[in-house]
Amino acid sequence: MEQERNADYEELKRQLNVLRDRIEKNADISDRMIRKAIGRNMDHLYRMGIIALIVCIAALIFVELILIGMGVSRLFLVVTFIFLSVNAYFAFKLRIRKISFSPESSLMETAKRVVKYKKDNELSLMIGLPLAFVWCIWCVREIGIASGMDDIKQFALLACSALVGFLIGGFIGYFSMFRPAMREADAILDQIDELHETE
């Protein structure tokens, strides 16, 4: 009877060890899969940053060429150049330099970087939109003066066109760049939380 109990006990211990090994292997696989998913999401944010930088540089070149052709003031050209250069710099600094991930990097460090990325992105939107609106108003005035507009109706039509362009550009930027980037950042933070729960 005692031998049977010992045999049952040993069998139970063996099964528990097998079960523990399986759970640990599954946790390890889950950990690796989540880390890979975090890496993929970070890579996606990095690619979006490169696109944002290319858009800023292209805008810098094309807008300056168009404005020079229209004959706007030098002051406006310089301010536009500075404004677009600052946008390109922040696109590089926020979206490319700060977003990098390797499977060996600390999850805490990655989470801090992503949270900072989100805050910087929100701040750049809150500062950038009003500045872009002011620039848009100044642009209408400069184009109106450069083209010799003296009729208030023509000026109003130009202002309405600029406002529509500003709204369309704002919506496209918000829904194609800002919101997807923030969703991606949230997904990374969720994956890091999930990984912490399994540890």
Side-chain angles (χ1 to χ4, degrees):
M1 188 74 171
E2 192 65 33
Q3 277 184 331
E4 278 181 34
R5 275 189 194 160
N6 283 344
D8 287 346
Y9 177 70
E10 288 302 318
E11 179 60 23
L12 185 61
K13 245 169 86 173
R14 191 187 67 75
Q15 286 178 359
L16 282 171
N17 285 336
V18 168
L19 183 61
R20 192 180 301 117
D21 287 345
R22 281 185 185 166
I23 288 169
E24 282 172 7
K25 279 179 188 169
N26 284 341
D28 187 45
I29 289 166
S30 174
D31 178 90
R32 272 185 283 141
M33 285 171 67
I34 291 171
R35 281 181 181 273
K36 275 185 184 174
I38 291 169
R40 277 195 305 273
N41 287 0
M42 293 289 272
D43 287 346
H44 188 252
L45 279 181
Y46 182 81
R47 283 193 299 274
M48 287 173 76
I50 289 174
I51 291 167
L53 180 62
I54 291 168
V55 167
C56 287
I57 292 170
L60 177 64
I61 294 165
F62 290 120
V63 168
E64 286 292 313
L65 289 174
I66 289 166
L67 292 175
I68 288 168
M70 289 182 163
V72 297
S73 70
R74 276 207 181 127
L75 176 64
F76 184 67
L77 283 173
V78 169
V79 169
T80 301
F81 180 81
I82 292 168
F83 180 63
L84 291 173
S85 297
V86 167
N87 274 330
Y89 169 74
F90 280 115
F92 172 72
K93 190 179 175 201
L94 293 181
R95 294 172 181 255
I96 295 174
R97 238 179 84 200
K98 288 190 177 179
I99 295 297
S100 58
F101 176 80
S102 69
E104 295 79 35
S105 32
S106 147
L107 290 176
M108 207 52 147
E109 182 191 319
T110 302
K112 280 181 187 171
R113 228 176 311 145
V114 172
V115 168
K116 179 92 170 75
Y117 168 83
K118 280 185 70 177
K119 283 181 183 170
D120 289 347
N121 242 5
E122 286 166 352
L123 183 65
S124 71
L125 183 73
M126 287 177 3
I127 293 170
L129 275 180
L131 285 176
F133 186 70
V134 169
W135 178 87
C136 198
I137 292 168
W138 191 9
C139 185
V140 168
R141 181 181 175 278
E142 286 288 330
I143 291 170
I145 291 168
S147 60
M149 276 185 202
D150 50 4
D151 184 13
I152 194 73
K153 286 180 183 174
Q154 287 180 324
F155 213 79
L157 183 64
L158 179 63
C160 287
S161 301
L163 180 63
V164 168
F166 175 79
L167 290 173
I168 290 170
F171 275 110
I172 289 171
Y174 181 80
F175 288 106
S176 69
M177 295 295 287
F178 180 79
R179 234 172 115 190
M182 297 304 263
R183 270 201 306 261
E184 202 81 48
D186 286 334
I188 293 167
L189 294 174
D190 288 345
Q191 287 162 344
I192 290 171
D193 283 343
E194 192 180 323
L195 199 53
H196 274 302
E197 284 168 17
T198 59
E199 284 175 352

